[in-house]
Amino acid sequence: MSHGVFAYTWDLVGDPDAAARIAGLGADTVTLQAAYHSVRGITPWHPAHRVVHAEHAAAYFRLREDRWPGLRPLAPTWGVENPDRFGTAAAALTAAGLSVEAWLVLTHSSAVGSAYPDVTVRNAYGECYPYALCPSHQLVRDYALTIVSEICAQYDVDLMLEACGWLGFDHGSHHEKTEGADLSTTARRLLSLCFCPACRTALGAEADRLARSVRTAVDAELTGGHPTPVDATALLAHRGTVIADLVRETKSLAGDRRLLLMATDDPWVTGPDVGVDFQSVAPDAFVLKSWGDTAAAARQLKSAAARTDIPLIANVTALDPEWNGVAELLEAGATEVRYYHAGLASKARLNRIRTAITEARR
């Protein structure tokens, strides 16, 4: 059974002790940021910095100019000076006896979306979400697959995909000011449906009717009324087809590399964990977010295990002060565990990861 931890490149590059510290947790694998969204992170252990502010989504691998004919990611300018942060960090981890998975965020980039708003998610009111690239657009699919192909061309690592479908309303924008409207889960999901030109083309005449029904339902809720049900079956089917195709093409590019997919089997879900029918896609493993209530996460794992023969990896967070090991998740059907996050965790929380790995192997 594999136990792995998440890490950022800036946790490792410039810290000669980082790889050994991570190996000392008992982990086999490190899921290492290779293409990632904007974030502000603490680095408790690094000798040269404490707070890293990644101002925009970036690629942490070497960007070869001739490989990006369309959309392209930006390079990072923070943390440390290194043109190949992923390769440098991966080499240190490999030297410490750890395997590496490239952590790839594909469709979440405010930098690319702000520069190319025509390929972003557009809600039923015609409003763009600049952080959300819509994979219905061929340009976005080409961008995502070029990220994958460049990782495969430059490094001998496995792949973990995050955000390889749609991001929706619940992204968490700068200075978020939407909570006061008391939107239900249903309304938030309706506001996450995409009506960009590419999605409208895929839906055909159905697009206008569906967009009207979404606006009617959301407006009714916002004004205190009773929204009518919305049938989004055709749009959810379209999303499932696009995601399945993207995963299949990624798997073809990956060759013998292992492909892990952050996912949930609720087709309404948008965000880092793609919402798909587990019967329609075939990665080498599904990575299920098992944060929050452990009993609820165990039920989710058990339910998923009953519907697919593909291995399930529990993604747990040691940053939650209530987190208390992984035994229940393993009993529910998880075959592996990934612990979030070796770079962000305090000494006490790193000790909790070490203890959880030790206990799981007894």
Side-chain angles (χ1 to χ4, degrees), residues 189-263:
R189 288 181 166 184
L190 292 176
L191 285 170
S192 298
L193 296 176
C194 183
F195 293 91
C196 73
C199 286
R200 281 180 169 274
T201 297
L203 288 175
E206 171 72 3
D208 286 340
R209 183 206 63 78
L210 179 56
R212 284 195 303 270
S213 64
V214 168
R215 293 193 298 270
T216 299
V218 172
D219 285 348
E221 181 173 313
L222 287 172
T223 56
H226 299 286
T228 56
V230 174
D231 181 5
T233 303
L235 184 49
L236 295 181
H238 162 64
R239 290 203 312 207
T241 298
V242 171
I243 294 165
D245 287 346
L246 185 55
V247 172
R248 184 172 56 253
E249 290 180 78
T250 299
K251 193 168 175 58
S252 177
L253 290 171
D256 293 335
R257 295 170 175 82
R258 198 165 178 234
L259 178 63
L260 315 179
L261 179 65
M262 289 187 176

Side-chain angles (χ1 to χ4, degrees), residues 7-182:
Y8 295 139
T9 54
W10 56 69
D11 297 324
L12 287 131
V13 179
D15 183 353
D17 300 323
R21 184 169 56 250
I22 292 173
L25 298 175
D28 312 290
T29 299
V30 175
T31 306
L32 179 66
Q33 155 216 52
Y36 203 68
H37 52 71
S38 59
V39 66
R40 186 176 74 133
I42 191 79
T43 55
W45 305 98
H46 202 280
H49 51 71
R50 284 293 166 268
V51 179
V52 175
H53 186 191
E55 298 176 358
H56 54 73
Y60 292 85
F61 53 90
R62 192 181 301 278
L63 289 171
R64 302 189 291 182
E65 295 291 333
D66 60 331
R67 305 305 173 98
W68 301 92
L71 309 181
R72 58 167 294 164
L74 300 182
T77 58
W78 44 82
V80 294
E81 290 291 335
N82 188 303
D84 187 12
R85 303 173 194 212
F86 179 83
T88 301
L93 292 168
T94 301
L98 295 158
S99 60
V100 176
E101 297 161 350
W103 184 4
L104 302 174
V105 176
L106 298 182
T107 59
H108 182 182
S109 174
S110 297
V112 175
S114 296
Y116 299 92
D118 289 347
V119 300
T120 60
V121 168
R122 190 180 294 268
N123 67 22
Y125 296 87
E127 299 151 344
C128 292
Y129 298 156
Y131 51 83
L133 306 180
C134 176
S136 287
H137 292 274
Q138 187 63 49
L139 276 173
V140 173
R141 291 194 294 274
D142 290 345
Y143 164 83
L145 292 170
T146 302
I147 290 175
V148 172
S149 64
E150 280 296 274
I151 289 291
C152 292
Q154 296 185 52
Y155 314 99
D156 184 17
V157 295
D158 292 333
L159 311 175
M160 183 182 290
L161 302 187
E162 177 181 344
C164 77
W166 278 258
L167 276 84
F169 178 74
D170 282 321
H171 161 258
S173 192
H174 295 298
H175 303 289
E176 186 72 21
K177 302 291 184 181
T178 61
E179 290 302 317
D182 294 329

